[in-house]
Amino acid sequence: MTRSFTRIFRFAPSPNGPLHLGHAYSALLNGDLARASEGRLLIRMEDIDVTRCRPEYEASILDDLAWLGLDWEQPVRRQSEHFDAYADALERLRAMDLVYPSFLSRAEIRAATLDPAWPRDPDGAPVYPGLDRDLPATEARARIQSGAPYAWRLKMDAAIERAGPLAFTEQGSGPEGETGTVTATPALWGDVVIARKEIPTSYHLSVVVDDALQGVTDVVRGEDLFPATSVHRLLQQLLGLPMPTYRHHGLIRDEAGKKLSKSEGATGLAGLRASGATAEDVRRLVGLPPAQPTPST
Ligand code: GLU
């Protein structure tokens, strides 16, 4: 007996601004791959940053996605409605003694990492110096109780030791052409932030929890997130979550070769729509073939 395996894709925008051509490419590629494999397409709103995400952006994103011809399942998962699930995962990491409250301010981090040879993470930020990694628990608790600002960080060395060597499957290619079985290199990130004082999660934690909860089999996203995949793989291993397959795609760039940002008008979908472009025009602009009809079953 053959068991049918349904692939599940997701497009996961952060509703902190309107969509541009780069998002359109990612969303359409997810839609095309889901359709070609007779799989499912989910949309997830990554709105944990409640100060920057707004309902009106969410509404305009969904409107743009429908205009592009995408067809996704309801309901749309909104991360801001699932803080409990992320808090549970954080608690599990705490129980494994793999996270610690870190108290250094930005200025203190800067001061401790002035040495030009200090390692930088793949985003270019200095690796956290970890001066408070081994604070006695009573002192950490007292500081938290006194109202000090803090963030929960992963004890990266201990986490790697517990997880052992890890790899993930890359079906696209990373920024340096990595494809196939790729060795995860989470150590490059140092003690990453796993949750904040006000928000009991981070991008890394919520993305792995949600991909697992939603049964995502295929993560298709921009290659700017390729280095973060190593952290995701590590968290999946620690939390006993399944590993999706990854496909990182090239980024759509502006004429100067710069990555598009949400504030740029010219490549915004709203502007293109207002100037009379069609969804097929957008597909052409981002280099995708014309839309295919849904395969008949
Ligand atoms: N929310 C992320 C973004 O808008 C994408 C996360 C992901 O696809 O894993 O850049």
Side-chain angles (χ1 to χ4, degrees):
M1 197 174 89
T2 52
R3 225 173 113 240
S4 71
F5 170 71
T6 303
R7 287 166 67 179
I8 303 182
F9 295 79
R10 90 304 195 267
F11 175 62
S14 299
N16 55 15
L19 295 190
H20 56 54
L21 275 182
H23 301 111
Y25 175 53
S26 202
L28 287 168
L29 185 59
N30 270 286
D32 286 4
L33 291 166
R35 186 175 291 208
S37 62
E38 296 182 43
R40 295 165 53 193
L41 176 65
L42 310 176
I43 304 291
R44 181 166 78 222
M45 288 294 158
E46 301 214 321
D47 60 348
I48 57 171
D49 184 348
V50 287
T51 57
R52 292 178 62 221
C53 294
R54 308 237 182 87
E56 55 271 31
Y57 288 133
E58 179 183 316
S60 83
I61 288 172
L62 293 175
D63 187 58
D64 283 341
L65 295 178
W67 175 79
L68 284 170
L70 282 172
D71 193 9
W72 62 89
E73 289 181 18
Q74 300 293 343
V76 166
R77 182 174 174 93
R78 238 179 245 118
Q79 291 189 324
S80 60
E81 293 171 354
H82 298 279
F83 283 137
D84 287 359
Y86 316 131
D88 280 354
L90 174 63
E91 193 44 48
R92 291 181 54 208
L93 294 171
R94 254 161 58 119
M96 290 182 252
D97 193 24
L98 291 179
V99 288
Y100 66 101
S102 65
F103 299 95
L104 296 192
S105 66
R106 273 187 206 183
E108 287 168 325
I109 296 174
R110 212 174 309 124
T113 60
L114 283 178
D115 182 344
W118 190 268
R120 295 193 165 253
D121 72 22
D123 282 346
V127 163
Y128 189 72
L131 302 177
D132 41 15
R133 188 186 297 120
D134 300 314
L135 275 189
T138 46
E139 185 174 342
R141 212 170 309 125
R143 285 209 205 175
I144 290 174
Q145 272 160 10
S146 75
Y150 65 93
W152 291 101
R153 288 181 183 269
L154 192 64
K155 294 182 180 174
M156 184 55 85
D157 290 346
I160 289 174
E161 196 178 314
R162 180 171 180 127
L166 296 170
F168 59 91
T169 304
E170 173 63 50
Q171 290 188 327
S173 72
E176 286 162 34
E178 304 90 329
T179 193
T181 301
V182 175
T183 302
T185 51
L188 296 178
W189 291 93
D191 293 353
V192 275
V193 172
I194 292 296
R196 300 189 182 273
K197 180 181 177 184
E198 292 81 14
I199 306 176
T201 188
S202 61
Y203 160 61
H204 296 308
L205 186 62
S206 35
V207 88
V208 296
V209 168
D210 280 355
D211 283 340
L213 273 172
Q214 297 189 287
V216 170
T217 60
D218 290 77
V219 172
V220 178
R221 61 186 176 192
E223 68 181 16
D224 50 338
L225 292 170
F226 179 85
T229 307
S230 288
V231 177
H232 301 171
R233 185 67 202 97
L234 176 60
L235 291 175
Q236 285 155 0
Q237 184 72 14
L238 295 171
L239 294 167
L241 305 175
M243 171 182 58
T245 292
Y246 291 87
R247 178 188 291 257
H248 291 92
H249 59 72
L251 301 179
I252 305 290
R253 298 187 182 271
D254 67 10
E255 275 158 25
K258 252 184 51 223
K259 190 177 141 182
L260 303 181
S261 84
K262 285 201 165 141
S263 52
E264 274 160 330
T267 49
L269 279 190
L272 284 163
R273 284 177 70 173
S275 65
T278 64
E280 282 304 326
D281 293 332
V282 171
R283 293 185 67 93
R284 212 169 20 249
L285 276 170
V286 299
L288 284 171
Q292 299 298 310
T294 308
S296 51
T297 44

